[in-house]
Amino acid sequence: LSGTKYGCGIGGCGACTVMISTYDPVAKHRPANSCLLPICSLHGAAVTTVEGVGSIKTRIHPIQERLAKCHGSQCGFCTPGMVMSIYALLRNHAEPSMEQIISALDGTFQTVNCKKYNEINLAIRFFILTSVKITKSLSFPPQRMAQEQLRTLIFHGKRTTWISPTSLNELLELKAKYPKAPLVVGNTSVELKKTHHDAYHPIILHPVRIPEMYVVSSTDDGLVIGAACCLAQLRDILMEAVPKLPEEKTKIYQALLQHLRTLAGEQIRSMASLGGHIVSRGSNWDLNPVLSVGKSVLNLASEDGKRQVLLNDQFLAGCEHADIKPKEVIVSVLIPYSMKDDFISAFRQAESQKNALSIVNSGMRVLFSPGTDIIADLSILYGGIGSTTLSARKSCEKLIGRQWNDQMLSEACKLVLEEIFLPSSAPGGRVEYRRTLLVSFLFRFYLEVLHGLHQMYPFRYAELSQEKMSALVMLPSGVPQGVQIYQDVDSGQSPQDPVGRPIMHQSGIKHATGEAVYIDDIRPVDGELSLAVVTSIRAHAKIISIDASEALRVPGVVDVVTARDVPGENGKDEQAYAEEKVICVGQIICAVVAESVTQAKCGAEKVKIVYEDLEPILTIEDAIKHKSYITEERKIEKGDIEKGFESADEIIEGELHVGGQEHFYLETNSVLVIPRVEDKEMDVYVSTQHATDVQELVASALNLQSNKIMCHVKRVGGAFGGKITKPSLFAVIAAVAANKTGRPVRFVLERNMDMLITGGRHPFFGKYKVSERRSYFAYAYRLMVHGGTQWLKVQMETSHKWCSSRVRAGANTV
């Protein structure tokens, strides 16, 4: 089953989406990220992959057909995940609303080719609803499921024991016995810690079969939501409750819904629990600041009894006196109703509107004395600024009793910037931008509250300026953003002429069915080995020694490959295997080949390298100062440059800085090398944009003629320029290992290693110097038109000075 793809490994991309079906009256079918799903959590569930939806060998599902024919795939790597998201939606809702469709897709298919703007919603709904014809039903025998609910499930692994109790009392007993054991519902937090920090838990408790943790009830104080309810359920509960309640009671619910519509993707919302979101206390977690300012209450239980804890800034900061005790669990959360004189707002700024961690988030609440604009209570919390959610508690206390006006806003901004301090060396960078967001959110809250007061007391605030009213964030009108428009071709154009016509991707159907074969989808070859690399942990250092003795003793490890094993040239501009020294963190030093990926990774961890640190060069400016260039300097000069500047009427010079970027292609760098029986020939299957370079570098490394190396590239799962040079080095590493062992070698990078090793789009630093003269008009004109753009681009890339001529004719500049 190769349709489900590995993209990021942390539940962020959706390429690995499957549908989980359980005997649950609320949500029988839900999309889920398979990369986060522990196998133990699937007991009693059915897992449907894209192969179970449709196939070109049997019959494709209408979802798959429409996705392909409506040009919904490009590289196609994540397309199976898109199919599963739509499929799971239709299994729960045969006729979903527009909001449900958008939530399920989170912008993926909101762009549909149509000529009229008012047809967009109808087109999307038609796309979805006409795909529901051939769905099948899964049968869950009630007696069997009832029996399963009565017995405790215990799974024993090599290092971890997984326990799924059936009652709250049993859970509390287990928590008393294993106070350090985490409670895992969706595994969206614990798995991240395991992936990034190698966290290890001997005991894991899985409380998904405890009714008390799924309670949903309405009280006089507010809504009580079970801690195990997923965020998608919370969203649906609030959406159902808001229209039934008086508007003044729903302000916190509306603020939460604002975040729940954009927080993560539908797969994560269908897995992550409310209790897990709260107790993990991530600084970027969007709901916690809103729940805190709304005075939410945690209902806790332990063997010692029950108690309540206020979800406030001290709890989010992890203060001992306000925290959960090791033997306690969160059973449910009380989210109180808001009041008439309450105003609650939620804010977040991320790199994209949906499915992205927030850079900064915030929850703000103000309570006025009845019938006035005098502040009786004020709460302001920010996430994304420090390691925990931060409160501007002191600033809020100073502002109580003040009138809600411009003077208060000015004072509030000053106080918040003083209290919420962000040092220039703060993790995550973008310090000035994040400090700006602190004030920006506060200003938006001020305007929203002012607008609310205007609506409540129109006569008192009749003087509210048009400028402030227009500053409020309003939904865009007119042409919807992201709509692709194309014109019909001329009626006289030949039907055989493809120019201007939308034509379906040749592999579109295979993309949608998961039958398009990428490198890691190629079936294992007889005798195939897996490869894992050992990378530098120093920025600049000499390699004193490499000790692979412990790695070779790991069961399944076949060999360790270093630069000494390269028969020919060890790379060109960059070394494939580091030899005498390393020049960056993440540079490949050696490789471990083993019978399985797990054994190769285990072996790589056992390799010991001794370094002698050298002075690192960390910036472009330092590199220029030390004349540390990868290639020779390039200059473009014409004529006597110095004389031209001396005779210039005006000289303009300055610097240009452009930051770097990571290439986030969904298919990580992958290569499979298969030695042939005769003449030392090799087949290299690789995901690359530059197959010729792969062939040349592998042949050079093995000291062979290029025609001995057959390079195969069927398709690439995304690249964006990131698979031009690096895949050649990865191919060399795998080819040298295959040459040494005489066996096929598969080398597929995991996401964290791919991001570590590859350089991405590098930052640029350019210096420019321009001279201006009032003569030679024709020459200057030709120079700018024919050479200006290209010239500037080359000089930016070489980080060197360039000069040109510019002419001023009257008020215009050429």
Side-chain angles (χ1 to χ4, degrees), residues 73-91:
S73 73
Q74 188 172 352
C75 77
F77 193 79
C78 64
T79 308
M82 300 179 188
V83 170
M84 295 312 301
S85 294
I86 306 170
Y87 186 72
L89 169 70
L90 294 177
R91 294 305 301 269

Side-chain angles (χ1 to χ4, degrees), residues 287-308:
L287 301 186
N288 287 347
V290 185
L291 291 168
S292 178
V293 299
K295 311 295 183 184
S296 298
V297 177
L298 305 179
N299 296 315
L300 310 179
S302 67
E303 277 195 322
D304 298 330
K306 300 178 180 178
R307 73 184 183 106
Q308 292 185 323

Side-chain angles (χ1 to χ4, degrees), residues 567-569 684 693-709 732 735:
E569 190 175 355
V684 180
D693 193 53
V694 172
Q695 182 188 43
E696 291 177 354
L697 257 68
V698 171
S700 175
L702 299 182
N703 204 17
L704 298 171
Q705 294 177 334
S706 292
N707 63 358
K708 302 286 187 182
I709 307 299
V732 167

Side-chain angles (χ1 to χ4, degrees), residues 634-641 645 656 764 766-771 779-806:
R634 289 176 291 173
K635 298 181 181 180
I636 297 180
E637 298 179 345
K638 184 175 182 180
D640 191 334
I641 303 299
F645 283 129
L656 180 67
F764 287 92
K767 289 184 177 181
Y768 60 86
K769 189 173 183 180
V770 185
S771 64
Y779 170 76
Y781 180 81
R782 286 195 300 271
L783 184 64
M784 295 303 292
V785 169
H786 298 297
T789 303
Q790 183 179 2
W791 197 338
L792 176 59
K793 180 181 178 182
V794 171
Q795 293 304 325
M796 282 175 61
E797 291 177 346
T798 56
S799 300
H800 213 78
K801 72 177 182 180
W802 63 279
C803 59
S804 179
S805 296
R806 193 173 66 176

Side-chain angles (χ1 to χ4, degrees), residues 223 234-245 257:
L223 295 178
L234 174 63
R235 176 197 62 206
D236 296 340
I237 292 165
L238 296 180
M239 288 178 65
E240 183 180 350
V242 166
K244 298 178 181 178
L245 293 169
L257 281 172

Side-chain angles (χ1 to χ4, degrees), residues 389-441:
T389 302
L390 301 179
S391 170
R393 178 187 285 259
K394 295 179 180 178
S395 302
C396 294
E397 290 174 352
K398 292 179 181 179
L399 294 171
I400 292 176
R402 295 285 297 272
Q403 193 175 2
W404 195 261
N405 53 28
D406 290 355
Q407 290 74 25
M408 184 282 305
L409 173 64
S410 179
E411 180 71 12
C413 292
K414 180 181 177 182
L415 290 171
V416 166
L417 286 175
E418 289 175 354
E419 183 173 2
I420 308 295
F421 177 69
L422 195 61
S424 57
S425 59
R430 294 184 281 196
V431 171
E432 287 303 318
Y433 178 56
R434 287 192 283 170
R435 283 176 60 84
T436 302
L437 288 175
L438 298 179
V439 179
S440 174
F441 290 164

Side-chain angles (χ1 to χ4, degrees), residues 2-8 13-17 50 72-82 505 507 510-512 514 516-521 665-670 687 715-719 723 748 751:
S2 60
T4 306
K5 308 298 184 187
Y6 169 86
C8 65
C13 68
C16 66
T17 301
V50 70
S73 73
Q74 188 172 352
C75 77
F77 193 79
C78 64
T79 308
M82 300 179 188
H505 196 300
S507 298
K510 288 187 286 185
H511 288 166
V517 178
Y518 298 84
I519 300 301
D520 202 29
D521 297 332
Y665 32 76
L666 282 185
E667 179 199 27
T668 58
N669 276 285
S670 310
S687 178
R715 58 176 56 87
V716 177
K723 293 182 179 177
V748 179
R751 177 60 61 186

Side-chain angles (χ1 to χ4, degrees), residues 130-173:
T130 53
S131 302
V132 76
K133 297 177 182 177
I134 60 172
T135 54
K136 303 174 184 178
S137 60
L138 294 171
S139 175
F140 291 91
Q143 293 180 348
R144 172 71 181 275
M145 296 308 300
Q147 292 173 359
E148 291 295 327
Q149 292 283 22
L150 293 176
R151 70 188 181 105
T152 300
L153 300 175
I154 303 177
F155 299 94
H156 295 285
K158 289 183 179 179
R159 299 199 307 166
T160 300
T161 298
W162 179 282
I163 306 175
S164 181
T166 59
S167 68
L168 181 59
N169 288 336
E170 185 182 4
L171 173 65
L172 299 181
E173 290 174 5

